[in-house]
Amino acid sequence: MATDTPLILYGGTFDPPHFGHKKIAEYVTQKVPYEKMFIVPAFSPPHKFEQKTTPFQDRLKMLQLLFDDVVLPEVEISPMEKGLPEPSYTWRTLEYMEKQYPGKKISIVLGNDMYNQLPTWNNYELLRKKYSFIVLDRSLGSTEKDGHEKDVFLQNPKWDTSSQVIRAAYKTYYQTREMPEVIKKWIPPTIHDYICNHNLYSDQSS
């Protein structure tokens, strides 16, 4: 029987990870009772097959750099999707977590926009039946929350950036060597150094 305090899955492409991702993790752990949070970079994102994605090991390393000052043992950067079948469907990750932590309740962190797209996810009925969701920022629009009382809706602060905007900013940076404000504001120096040393985002489309 599942325990009341859940494990939390916070997954994403994290390409690149930035302070907004860290703020989300900190906000959720402050607002929702939980046993442990797993921050999981997608190994093979099913919704980005047509896009170029930075290699998994680079995204994993950058996530570790982003959270290197988080000392809470209840937050873990996990490469668990690396060993799972491709593409990296969320239900596969959750089933793996269930095997590792039998009897534990699991909640999934996602944004309001993705929450409204849940019916399009692979194995949606299984996700709806077995798991709960922690939904960020109701102000983004209407949410299909009716009938899903087990889900948690958080009115989190808005952080005005995205990985897509940051990737585009790096293309500009490589061309001009002038640091865009979005990089100064949202990318820690350790990740900036890693990106430059590995020449990441120099040729990715924005």
Side-chain angles (χ1 to χ4, degrees), residues 7-205:
L7 304 173
I8 295 179
L9 170 64
Y10 176 23
T13 310
F14 302 112
D15 193 12
H18 52 73
F19 283 129
H21 296 127
K22 189 174 184 179
K23 289 176 181 290
I24 287 172
E26 292 172 341
Y27 182 82
V28 170
T29 55
Q30 291 168 3
K31 296 294 183 180
V32 179
Y34 71 104
E35 183 172 333
K36 188 170 184 176
M37 172 183 277
F38 294 90
I39 303 176
V40 180
F43 183 74
S44 176
H47 58 294
K48 299 200 174 181
F49 271 176
E50 302 302 320
Q51 302 178 27
K52 181 178 178 181
T53 304
T54 302
F56 176 78
Q57 285 302 129
D58 290 320
R59 292 182 286 117
L60 177 65
K61 179 60 179 177
M62 288 188 287
L63 262 180
Q64 292 168 340
L65 291 171
L66 181 65
F67 285 88
D68 65 354
D69 60 347
V70 176
V71 296
L72 292 175
E74 296 85 4
V75 176
E76 177 181 328
I77 310 299
S78 174
M80 67 174 72
E81 287 194 356
K82 184 176 181 180
L84 300 181
E86 298 181 46
S88 300
Y89 289 126
T90 299
W91 65 266
R92 288 174 171 159
T93 308
L94 293 165
E95 286 195 340
Y96 173 82
M97 290 177 64
E98 284 187 316
K99 292 177 181 178
Q100 301 301 310
Y101 301 91
K104 298 295 185 182
K105 178 182 176 181
I106 304 175
S107 295
I108 304 102
V109 174
L110 77 175
N112 188 76
D113 54 342
M114 295 302 293
Y115 184 77
N116 287 328
Q117 295 175 26
L118 276 177
T120 70
W121 286 27
N122 191 269
N123 227 343
Y124 165 70
E125 294 299 333
L126 175 71
L127 293 171
R128 252 291 153 232
K129 180 179 179 181
K130 295 183 67 176
Y131 309 105
S132 62
F133 297 86
I134 300 168
V135 187
L136 296 165
D137 201 352
R138 285 174 293 173
S139 67
L140 287 175
S142 61
T143 298
E144 53 140 322
K145 54 180 178 295
D146 294 340
H148 301 307
E149 294 83 2
K150 65 181 179 179
D151 297 338
V152 176
F153 298 86
L154 300 177
Q155 190 74 50
N156 61 287
K158 288 186 177 182
W159 296 294
D160 188 21
T161 192
S162 71
S163 293
Q164 181 178 357
V165 169
I166 292 170
R167 291 196 301 271
Y170 269 104
K171 290 180 67 175
T172 300
Y173 172 75
Y174 283 119
Q175 293 168 358
T176 66
R177 291 299 168 177
E178 296 181 3
M179 184 78 77
E181 286 299 316
V182 68
I183 295 177
K184 293 179 183 178
K185 182 176 180 180
W186 293 103
I187 296 294
T190 52
I191 293 181
H192 175 70
D193 290 344
Y194 186 93
I195 289 172
C196 294
N197 290 339
H198 293 79
N199 200 37
L200 303 181
Y201 312 120
S202 60
D203 60 351
Q204 288 200 9
S205 61

